[in-house]
Amino acid sequence: MMDPPQIVKTRPLLLARGVSKSFGAVKALRDVSATVYPGEVLGIVGESGSGKSTFLRCLNLEETPDEGSYTLDLPDVQGNLFDLDRYARRMLCATRIGIVYQNPHLGLLMKHSSSGNVAERLLVAGERRFHVLREKARGALDASEFPLERMDAPPIELSGGMQQRVQLAKAIALEPALLLLDEPTTGLDVSVQALVLDTLKKLQQERKITMVIVSHDLGVIRTLSDRVMVMKSGQVVEEGLADQVFQDPQHAYTQQLVHAKL
Amino acid sequence: MSLKSLTKDWEPMSYGFLDASAKCEIRRKTLKAIAVPGCQIPYASREVPMARGWGTGGLQISCTLINPRTTVKVIDQGADDSVNAASIRRFLSRVSGAPTTTDTLKADLIQSRHRIPEEKLREDQVLVLQVPNPEPLRPVQPNMSIARQMHADADYGRMWLQLYEQIVRSGRVMQGASYPSLVHGRFVMTPSPIPRWDVPKMHMAKHLTILSAGREKRLHAVPPYTRVEPLVFDDVPYQVEEHGQLTCTRSGAKGYFMNEIPQNDGTSTYEVSDSELGIKTIQKADGDTVELGDTWYQDGEMTQ
């Protein structure tokens, strides 16, 4: 008699519950919750001002919400991360969470070398061997498909697409448990967008990195995401598998978004 | 009844130019700096009869520590006889009645601009270094409030990055003077613009070093027997200036930090930077009885 197939229970890596955030009278987030499983890509889509970037900043511990909890299922990481002090937040973000910003100026030191930008993350984590720093920076840049002959050029001399690759290399240098991407392809021309998306897709497939990607571009979200969360006015209006949401949108706003795209 | 009969004579109250309350404040801040090695402590830097940037920070510490029984030595870039050193020495002597010396071994208090004497200092000696810019994070973080936060978090990644960038661009660490150093495994300090040659002298030294910046109104300290480790990568060793094999043309002293004297024919000659050590070497060669103390370096190599 055959044993019944075992159901493997997987715990979510990221669990955010009831996150609310106001800026004065403006309610940027209203009771937003999200669950992301290891290796999964969650896409957050919505119009400008819908609160998606604020939510991402909360996940990167740059903002502290008024209410809500946020946990990561990682060894040595316990409790509500919003309760961590500044130092613990900095160390957690430096070692476990990678982020790629829409504006490379926020994520990079524009006048330092590209390899130095990647090495900085390793230095914060305590690496003190110069040759190891070089090798690891080279590896991360290579994985981001950055031309290695330019690894010591400062980002200010690079194109927008190259700058995003440096950001990506910096974000993955320490093999983070969670990679956050805030409009990573916005402002790039279509051909460069496609190349950056290819790189992200490849990285996700090879390294099984858990990602949360924010974009107002449905094409980007559709290409990368397993699941999609649609936000409007600081609230989640629809959530589901990417294909399901895009092919059969239920909420009027999602339908409007999908049709606007089409 | 006269005013004089109601007041104390000023002299026993306040030798050393500064008033008693000013000295009290500086002493408190100095004790705090000693208690937290390498941490910059703000203090109310007073006006002294010297322009900011000429050693007012060091002078205030010296004025606070000095008394009529203190033997004081003042050096400027290693020399006892430069105008700045002579002026400060004369001022300190005049306001406190303290005897002065040029001999490192006989001094109780040594105020120095940008050098540590070549002869080893003892436990009963205090070295006061004049510091133009006490903030090691200034090149990487111009905002002082953020820099303070970075010190509190021991967030020195950018300092390391600066060294990384120098090696990438130049093949070696280009930082000459003011080499950032980790004190007691906690705070990164700038050891004032002493050359790299002098930084290892601070590591586990017997003497107390107080570093004070008058213009920037901050002081920090390295207590005796405290670890002072220059920031270096594990696989790129710390290097001092290559002066070990140079010989002083005037005294014949060899294996010490030298001043380079360019010549008309394009070559250079060298003179030992610690002028008193040079004089002692000459006197010894002439057969005079001179006490030459142990030196940190011997034949250009740092001794333990």
Side-chain angles (χ1 to χ4, degrees):
Chain A
M1 189 178 169
M2 284 178 68
D3 292 335
Q6 285 189 338
I7 297 169
V8 179
K9 284 186 180 175
T10 310
R11 287 187 301 182
L13 173 76
L14 182 159
L15 204 59
R17 285 285 170 266
V19 179
S20 298
K21 174 78 183 170
S22 296
F23 296 103
V26 180
K27 290 200 169 182
L29 295 175
R30 300 162 194 240
D31 195 24
V32 176
S33 297
T35 306
V36 187
Y37 287 85
E40 190 182 35
V41 181
L42 173 69
I44 304 177
V45 70
E47 62 193 6
S48 297
S50 59
K52 51 193 192 308
S53 289
T54 303
F55 184 59
L56 201 77
R57 283 205 303 278
C58 288
L59 296 183
N60 196 39
L61 300 174
E62 292 170 65
E63 296 277 0
T64 303
D66 306 325
E67 287 174 46
S69 67
Y70 170 28
T71 56
L72 283 178
D73 184 29
L74 294 171
D76 309 328
V77 179
Q78 287 165 350
N80 184 359
L81 302 185
F82 293 138
D83 293 337
L84 294 178
D85 61 23
R86 195 185 68 239
Y87 179 75
R89 283 178 182 216
R90 188 175 70 82
M91 290 314 290
L92 182 69
C93 292
T95 54
R96 304 290 180 88
I97 303 173
I99 186 161
V100 175
Y101 295 96
Q102 176 186 351
N103 181 356
H105 286 261
L106 293 176
L108 297 176
L109 298 162
M110 299 308 273
K111 291 182 181 173
H112 287 66
S113 65
S114 299
S115 68
N117 271 283
V118 181
E120 189 203 2
R121 210 164 160 84
L122 302 162
L123 286 163
V124 171
E127 181 57 64
R128 295 290 180 263
R129 292 165 296 176
F130 178 77
H131 292 98
V132 173
L133 287 168
R134 288 294 281 174
E135 282 313 306
K136 285 192 174 174
R138 184 191 298 272
L141 287 165
D142 195 27
S144 306
E145 299 181 339
F146 182 88
L148 292 179
E149 65 275 11
R150 302 210 67 192
M151 69 182 276
D152 291 328
I156 201 162
E157 293 175 6
L158 301 173
S159 66
M162 288 294 125
Q163 288 176 350
Q164 290 305 67
R165 286 179 194 283
V166 178
Q167 276 209 85
L168 189 57
K170 183 176 181 176
I172 62 168
L174 278 175
E175 310 234 336
L178 178 65
L179 180 60
L180 306 173
L181 302 142
D182 186 7
E183 309 264 12
T185 57
T186 304
L188 304 178
D189 66 58
V190 180
S191 59
V192 178
Q193 264 192 36
L195 290 171
V196 172
L197 286 178
D198 280 350
T199 307
L200 285 169
K201 193 90 187 157
K202 194 175 144 199
L203 273 174
Q204 207 280 324
Q205 284 168 352
E206 286 175 0
R207 303 191 178 199
K208 302 287 178 214
I209 302 176
T210 311
M211 296 184 189
V212 177
I213 179 165
V214 155
S215 182
H216 62 263
D217 187 334
L218 295 191
V220 171
I221 296 292
R222 195 169 198 168
T223 307
L224 289 172
S225 309
D226 300 315
R227 278 192 313 115
V228 174
M229 209 162 91
V230 184
M231 288 185 72
K232 186 177 191 303
S233 306
Q235 283 179 304
V236 179
V237 294
E238 187 165 351
E239 193 179 352
L241 294 172
D243 290 343
Q244 184 189 341
V245 170
F246 285 114
Q247 283 170 13
D248 185 19
Q250 299 297 305
H251 193 273
Y253 174 68
T254 317
Q255 289 169 359
Q256 197 184 337
L257 270 180
V258 173
H259 291 136
K261 177 66 183 170
L262 293 171
Chain B
M1 188 186 292
S2 67
L3 185 63
K4 190 171 172 56
S5 66
L6 291 170
T7 54
K8 287 183 181 173
D9 193 8
W10 69 271
E11 236 179 280
M13 291 265 303
S14 183
Y15 39 75
F17 187 76
L18 297 174
D19 61 89
S21 64
K23 290 201 287 190
C24 189
E25 191 250 347
I26 293 173
R27 280 195 199 106
R28 276 202 309 271
K29 298 298 167 63
T30 307
L31 285 171
K32 198 169 172 183
I34 293 167
V36 193
C39 181
Q40 295 167 52
I41 310 294
Y43 72 102
S45 181
R46 264 56 174 197
E47 290 296 329
V48 285
M50 199 165 66
R52 295 281 189 211
W54 288 82
T56 53
L59 187 62
Q60 289 175 76
I61 300 292
S62 297
C63 286
T64 303
L65 298 179
I66 208 164
N67 66 49
R69 294 177 300 282
T70 311
T71 306
V72 66
K73 170 183 167 82
V74 182
I75 46 179
D76 180 355
Q77 300 268 26
D80 293 87
D81 51 2
S82 78
V83 173
N84 198 23
S87 302
I88 293 173
R89 187 167 54 239
R90 195 166 54 190
F91 175 78
L92 284 172
S93 175
R94 189 177 289 173
V95 297
S96 67
T100 62
T101 182
T102 55
D103 189 346
T104 303
L105 301 179
K106 290 178 183 159
D108 299 316
L109 177 67
I110 302 170
Q111 181 174 333
S112 171
R113 176 175 171 264
H114 310 346
R115 279 305 316 275
I116 296 176
E118 296 287 1
E119 287 170 291
K120 280 185 181 175
L121 302 182
R122 301 181 307 268
E123 285 170 339
D124 60 332
Q125 292 178 302
V126 178
L127 176 68
V128 177
L129 285 171
Q130 301 167 201
V131 184
N133 178 13
E135 182 52 82
L137 292 169
R138 180 70 55 85
V140 298
Q141 180 49 263
N143 185 318
M144 281 170 64
S145 301
I146 297 175
R148 266 201 297 275
Q149 210 167 68
M150 288 168 76
H151 279 295
D153 291 347
D155 179 6
Y156 297 123
R158 293 273 171 96
M159 298 291 305
W160 286 98
L161 180 60
Q162 203 184 17
L163 301 177
Y164 173 93
E165 291 287 302
Q166 289 176 12
I167 299 175
V168 164
R169 288 182 182 164
S170 313
R172 65 190 176 91
V173 175
M174 298 298 286
Q175 188 91 27
S178 296
Y179 197 97
S181 304
L182 188 67
V183 184
H184 197 52
R186 177 59 183 86
F187 283 99
V188 169
M189 70 157 185
T190 171
S192 89
I194 55 173
R196 279 177 296 173
W197 180 271
D198 284 350
V199 175
K201 295 177 183 175
M202 299 181 111
H203 178 63
M204 298 306 282
K206 291 178 181 171
H207 67 278
L208 165 66
T209 306
I210 302 169
L211 304 99
S212 175
R215 187 176 44 202
E216 303 282 332
K217 301 176 174 56
R218 276 178 282 172
L219 61 89
H220 54 287
V222 179
Y225 302 104
T226 301
R227 281 179 287 135
V228 177
E229 295 150 320
L231 299 187
V232 278
F233 291 110
D234 295 349
D235 48 356
V236 182
Y238 181 74
Q239 287 181 321
V240 300
E241 291 80 358
E242 292 173 352
H243 290 194
Q245 300 307 313
L246 301 177
T247 304
C248 174
T249 49
R250 294 178 73 184
S251 65
K254 189 180 173 193
Y256 301 110
F257 190 77
M258 300 283 169
N259 293 333
E260 185 175 356
I261 319 288
Q263 301 297 302
N264 287 334
D265 61 0
T267 61
S268 293
T269 61
Y270 295 90
E271 288 180 6
V272 68
S273 169
D274 186 337
S275 63
E276 181 59 17
L277 184 80
I279 290 168
K280 279 184 175 180
T281 308
I282 293 169
Q283 287 172 338
K284 200 170 183 182
D286 289 346
D288 295 349
T289 309
V290 182
E291 190 187 355
L292 198 62
D294 287 342
T295 51
W296 309 94
Y297 284 87
Q298 279 168 13
D299 298 325
E301 295 291 327
M302 183 72 188
T303 57
Q304 294 301 315

